[in-house]
Amino acid sequence: MDKNKLQVMWQVVDGYQSVQWAAAKLRKSERTIKRYAARLKSNPEDDLIHKNRGREPVNKIDHETIWQLYLKKYYGMNITFFCEKLLENEKIKVSEGLVRLIFKDHDEFSVQAWHRTKNELRKKLRNMKKLTKQQKEVLVQLEAEPYVRTTHPTQPRSKYFGEELQMDASIHCWFGNTKSALHTAIDDATGIIVGAYFDLQETRNGYYQITRQFLTKYGVPVKIKTDKRTVFEYKMKAKKDMAEDTMTQYQHVCQTLGVELECSSEPQFKPRVERSYRTLQGRLTFELKEACVTTLEQANEFLNSYIKKFNKQFAICHGIRNCWAKQVTKEQIDMSLVTFAQRVVDCGNGIRIYNKYYGTFDAYGNQIFIKPKTKVSVITMMNGSVYALHNDKLFALSEIPERQKVSDLIDLDKKKPVIRKKYIPPFDSIWRITNTNLFKKKTYFL
């Protein structure tokens, strides 16, 4: 190329060819051709080689440093997340293409590499006669990995923010050495995570917690899509009539708030939340490890700040209109997210629930005695308050300890506990208007 360049430029300098001809021949601009001609006129021995040839760039990044950081500190991250962490923690700005070249030089592949990339690396390692220890481990991993095609085809998003929420839970080793369940609710139109909560298992309490989050911050959605877990839907095989099926606690919450609940066991039914777990498992696990999170309490506290960061990076909010229903009050949320259970009053005028013994009291702290063997509806709120509903009357339940904490005869220097008035919801509460009638007609599944 350099010899051809010199021959063409000497023809221009000697006047045999024009500048335009040389520009087309060398695929350079006319300005560059004129600069070459000026250099040859001032120094006929000039080779027209760029002055930076052979010199090391000032901003050159050591590939071995990037590779060692990946092995020792960021192993298992996908390439995009790895580049973000290099810029955030190490102040090293690299492109994803450069990281891919480094991976390719070391016969490594990303955790989210395409099947074509994995197949090319597998063929390359198979044809090599001698493999290092690391190359053998990579080949074993590639051979053992099953080929799974995507089961979540692209679907159109909803038109409005709050029109459709998709809820699910993912059991994964998010932090520590034990598995836990991450409950999430994601908006289909924008991709915003409107609620997230960690629990030991996929439970009703986890879904109640994320429901409380989006009811408090956004309001009441139009529709919720979930899977067919017994938390959401339970059909009794013995009864063929759909109207006589058991109503779950969460179905009752949705019916009370006026939310449409749809359930399906197919993952394609709620692809937005299914796909979000792939992103969360590739990012949140490393964020929790970096923050030294080891308990559920710490993990749930960390989610408050991380979800804001996640939504800011991945949510699509521009031009999306809001269709959330009016925001409900804290009292309405507390009275909606309750659990119902049926109990029988024993001979001691007490009710046993959650391995504790309770007595019925009125608003002034006076104990109310109900006829033994009477069936009552026990209502438990998320804050721990327990009430009993009987004959359209609501009573507060107070725990009766097995042994007194303060003795009236001996512990004279200690203050006796003050008996305060019990808060009992008013007569026109949703428990008495809707829940009582529904409870009489249906048996709730816990």
Side-chain angles (χ1 to χ4, degrees):
M1 177 65 185
D2 294 333
K3 291 182 179 180
N4 184 37
K5 184 195 297 184
L6 283 172
Q7 292 175 1
V8 172
M9 288 309 304
W10 275 117
Q11 293 182 39
V12 175
V13 172
D14 294 338
Y16 295 109
Q17 295 293 346
S18 64
V19 174
Q20 292 78 7
W21 175 84
K25 189 74 173 178
L26 299 179
R27 296 183 180 179
K28 303 286 185 180
S29 65
E30 294 183 11
R31 183 180 177 183
T32 303
I33 298 300
K34 291 177 182 179
R35 276 194 289 111
Y36 287 165
R39 285 174 60 178
L40 284 176
K41 289 178 182 179
S42 60
N43 184 14
E45 296 182 358
D46 195 343
D47 294 332
L48 299 180
I49 298 175
H50 199 280
K51 300 298 182 182
N52 285 335
R53 180 179 291 189
R55 294 174 59 186
E56 188 172 303
V58 179
N59 59 346
K60 181 182 178 181
I61 299 173
D62 186 12
H63 293 190
E64 190 61 28
T65 303
I66 302 296
W67 177 246
Q68 291 300 324
L69 281 172
Y70 176 76
L71 290 179
K72 296 178 181 179
K73 195 174 180 180
Y74 303 105
Y75 187 78
M77 290 185 178
N78 61 67
I79 291 178
T80 304
F81 191 39
F82 177 48
C83 294
E84 293 174 6
K85 281 298 176 182
L86 284 177
L87 181 61
E88 180 182 347
N89 298 337
E90 312 297 335
K91 308 302 179 185
I92 301 175
K93 187 176 181 180
V94 292
S95 65
E96 297 180 19
L98 176 60
V99 176
R100 288 192 183 92
L101 289 176
I102 296 174
F103 276 39
K104 192 173 182 180
D105 293 339
H106 291 84
D107 295 327
E108 183 65 58
F109 62 93
S110 171
V111 292
Q112 292 186 359
W114 290 9
H115 292 294
R116 182 179 62 186
T117 305
K118 294 180 181 180
N119 291 336
E120 290 176 356
L121 181 58
R122 186 187 293 111
K123 291 178 181 179
K124 176 184 174 182
L125 295 177
R126 282 176 180 174
N127 296 331
M128 292 176 65
K129 294 183 179 179
K130 291 185 179 181
L131 299 175
T132 62
K133 184 178 179 181
Q134 181 183 348
Q135 290 173 337
K136 289 180 181 179
E137 293 176 356
V138 172
L139 182 59
V140 170
Q141 185 178 354
L142 288 171
E143 295 288 359
E145 184 177 285
Y147 179 76
V148 181
R149 288 188 176 274
T150 178
T151 57
H152 308 302
T154 303
Q155 297 184 16
R157 293 178 179 267
S158 300
K159 184 177 180 180
Y160 299 104
F161 176 38
E163 179 182 354
E164 178 184 309
L165 298 186
Q166 298 179 8
M167 295 200 311
D168 201 2
S170 173
I171 299 176
H172 182 68
C173 191
W174 295 99
F175 56 89
N177 298 322
T178 58
K179 291 185 177 181
S180 55
L182 174 61
H183 304 71
T184 56
I186 188 169
D187 178 66
D188 183 58
T190 60
I192 293 177
I193 296 180
V194 296
Y197 185 79
F198 277 111
D199 209 343
L200 293 175
Q201 296 291 333
E202 186 174 358
T203 59
R204 182 184 64 243
N205 176 61
Y207 287 110
Y208 268 19
Q209 291 289 347
I210 62 176
T211 304
R212 171 190 281 273
Q213 291 177 22
F214 65 72
L215 287 177
T216 304
K217 189 172 182 179
Y218 300 100
V220 181
V222 178
K223 181 168 62 176
I224 296 176
K225 284 186 175 182
T226 63
D227 52 13
K228 279 191 174 182
R229 291 188 66 86
T230 52
V231 175
F232 306 107
E233 187 179 61
Y234 181 75
K235 294 184 179 180
M236 300 178 68
K237 295 182 179 179
K239 296 183 179 181
K240 297 182 179 180
D241 188 5
M242 295 289 291
E244 296 181 359
D245 280 339
T246 301
M247 175 175 281
T248 64
Q249 306 281 359
Y250 202 87
Q251 277 181 324
H252 192 192
V253 172
C254 292
Q255 189 165 353
T256 303
L257 296 173
V259 180
E260 182 183 353
L261 180 66
E262 290 188 11
C263 304
S264 177
S265 56
E266 297 181 0
Q268 294 88 344
F269 181 68
K270 43 183 177 52
R272 209 72 60 199
V273 68
E274 296 281 356
R275 179 60 182 84
S276 67
Y277 281 123
R278 182 181 176 185
T279 305
L280 287 170
Q281 289 178 5
R283 289 174 174 263
L284 182 56
T285 50
F286 294 100
E287 297 282 4
L288 291 169
K289 184 178 180 181
E290 189 176 351
C292 301
V293 173
T294 55
T295 62
L296 284 174
E297 292 76 14
Q298 294 175 349
N300 286 317
E301 185 178 354
F302 179 81
L303 280 177
N304 296 329
S305 59
Y306 178 77
I307 293 303
K308 295 178 182 178
K309 176 182 175 182
F310 184 90
N311 290 336
K312 186 178 180 180
Q313 184 175 2
F314 295 103
I316 306 171
C317 303
H318 181 70
I320 306 298
R321 296 178 61 185
N322 189 341
C323 76
W324 292 86
K326 63 179 182 179
Q327 199 134 0
V328 291
T329 63
K330 183 178 181 300
E331 184 181 1
Q332 289 174 327
I333 296 174
D334 292 338
M335 294 177 65
S336 299
L337 298 176
V338 296
T339 57
F340 284 80
Q342 195 175 64
R343 290 294 184 269
V344 178
V345 180
D346 62 7
C347 296
N349 292 103
I351 299 171
R352 184 172 293 278
I353 187 170
Y354 305 125
N355 295 325
K356 294 180 181 180
Y357 199 68
Y358 292 89
T360 53
F361 295 83
D362 61 9
Y364 298 96
N366 302 320
Q367 188 169 5
I368 305 299
F369 300 101
I370 302 176
K371 185 179 179 180
K373 297 185 180 180
T374 302
K375 292 183 179 181
V376 297
S377 307
V378 178
I379 305 168
T380 307
M381 300 177 67
M382 291 185 66
N383 60 4
S385 302
V386 189
Y387 300 91
L389 188 63
H390 175 59
N391 290 338
D392 291 339
K393 293 182 179 180
L394 200 61
F395 304 100
L397 293 184
S398 181
E399 184 181 355
I400 301 176
E402 185 178 355
R403 200 175 301 277
Q404 291 183 356
K405 295 182 179 180
V406 179
S407 174
D408 297 337
L409 301 177
I410 299 176
D411 300 329
L412 301 178
D413 56 336
K414 294 184 179 180
K415 294 183 179 180
K416 296 182 180 180
V418 179
I419 301 176
R420 299 180 179 179
K421 289 186 177 181
K422 305 287 185 181
Y423 172 76
I424 297 179
F427 182 78
D428 58 347
S429 68
I430 56 176
W431 294 348
R432 306 189 186 195
I433 297 174
T434 60
N435 297 15
T436 308
N437 297 330
L438 289 169
F439 191 86
K440 289 178 180 178
K441 294 179 181 180
K442 297 180 182 290
T443 303
Y444 283 88
F445 180 78
L446 293 176

